[in-house]
Amino acid sequence: MTAPVEVLDWWERGERHLGTALGRLTDEEFDADSLLAGWSRRHVLAHLVDDADRLAAALGSARTGGRSPAASADGAQLEQVEALPPDQLRAAVLAGTQRLAEAVRAMPDPAWSAQLRGADGHETSAAEALWRRCREVWVHAVDLAAGISFADVPDDVLAALVDDVFRTWDAADRTPDVVLFAGDREWGTGALAVAGPLAAATAWVTGRDAGEDLQADGPLPTLAPWI
């Protein structure tokens, strides 16, 4: 496998997008809720730091021919990062991104096919793991509620996110009975036709809004969680 060029581009742009959202937050706004139910902005940022560090470690293992450990988020460490003063929390997010960028740059092409083992025991390729980070930064940049929405996400990334949601639902046999039309794409084969802008469709299927900007032949269903 060669380097996942498209995903690398999406990821790089996504990290910059996250930096833009982070830069828009004033110190006083760090303590407010994010758009993700039950998560404060601080928790979203601490999660992103932890995610970057775990992926950097996993890529290091892939590069040296090892298997990544089945690591899960360290609750105590997350709480420590979450409690940092705003300037230190900003610095922690940017430092985590930098550590991950260094790990990505060090990856030779063949290492992208290496299998990484996650905390749930499932294995995925290093390339797929980078896509998962990509979706994290784009979606959580919106979750920070810093004046950035899905309308600010490139269409190719939005379509990839909707693809990811439907794949997740299909794997769990939880796909809603809908056919979704957005942009020039179509997802699902259900009885209820749902249509609208790609950004609005992405916000709906990822659970970030109730689909107010979509049109449908009937009431919109309650969607299964994505991730």
Side-chain angles (χ1 to χ4, degrees), residues 32-92:
D33 291 337
S34 75
L35 297 182
L36 187 56
W39 284 33
S40 68
R41 284 171 169 148
R42 286 181 169 277
H43 190 78
V44 170
L45 293 171
H47 164 75
L48 285 165
V49 174
D50 175 76
D51 182 72
D53 283 342
R54 285 189 290 122
L55 179 54
L59 294 182
S61 295
R63 189 176 66 252
T64 58
R67 289 288 180 109
S68 64
S72 58
D74 183 325
Q77 185 172 346
L78 276 172
E79 289 179 2
Q80 290 177 359
V81 176
E82 189 175 343
L84 290 172
D87 58 339
Q88 294 182 32
L89 184 49
R90 285 190 192 92

Side-chain angles (χ1 to χ4, degrees), residues 82-160:
E82 189 175 343
L84 290 172
D87 58 339
Q88 294 182 32
L89 184 49
R90 285 190 192 92
V93 174
L94 297 176
T97 298
Q98 180 60 34
R99 289 189 292 271
L100 176 56
E102 291 169 358
V104 169
R105 284 196 294 268
M107 287 283 284
D109 281 0
W112 287 108
S113 62
Q115 294 298 297
L116 309 181
R117 183 163 53 90
D120 59 2
H122 292 143
E123 293 192 346
T124 188
S125 70
E128 176 63 21
L130 185 66
W131 158 247
R132 293 184 180 185
R133 172 65 180 183
C134 181
R135 74 187 184 192
E136 289 277 318
V137 291
W138 283 107
V139 174
H140 286 323
V142 174
D143 289 334
L144 288 174
I148 287 175
S149 72
F150 283 105
D152 301 303
V153 180
D155 282 356
D156 52 354
V157 177
L158 291 173

Side-chain angles (χ1 to χ4, degrees), residues 194-197 200-201 203-204 208-216 220:
V194 181
W204 180 55
R208 267 59 186 182
D209 75 25
E212 292 90 347
D213 294 324
L214 299 173
Q215 296 77 47
L220 292 175

Side-chain angles (χ1 to χ4, degrees), residues 10 131-132 134-139 142 150 153-168 185 187 198 202-203 205-206 226-227:
W10 291 344
W131 158 247
R132 293 184 180 185
C134 181
R135 74 187 184 192
E136 289 277 318
V137 291
W138 283 107
V139 174
V142 174
F150 283 105
V153 180
D155 282 356
D156 52 354
V157 177
L158 291 173
L161 286 169
V162 179
D163 286 342
D164 192 285
V165 174
F166 273 82
R167 281 197 305 269
T168 301
R185 294 284 303 276
W187 293 268
L198 186 52
T202 308
V205 299
T206 59
W226 169 36
I227 53 174

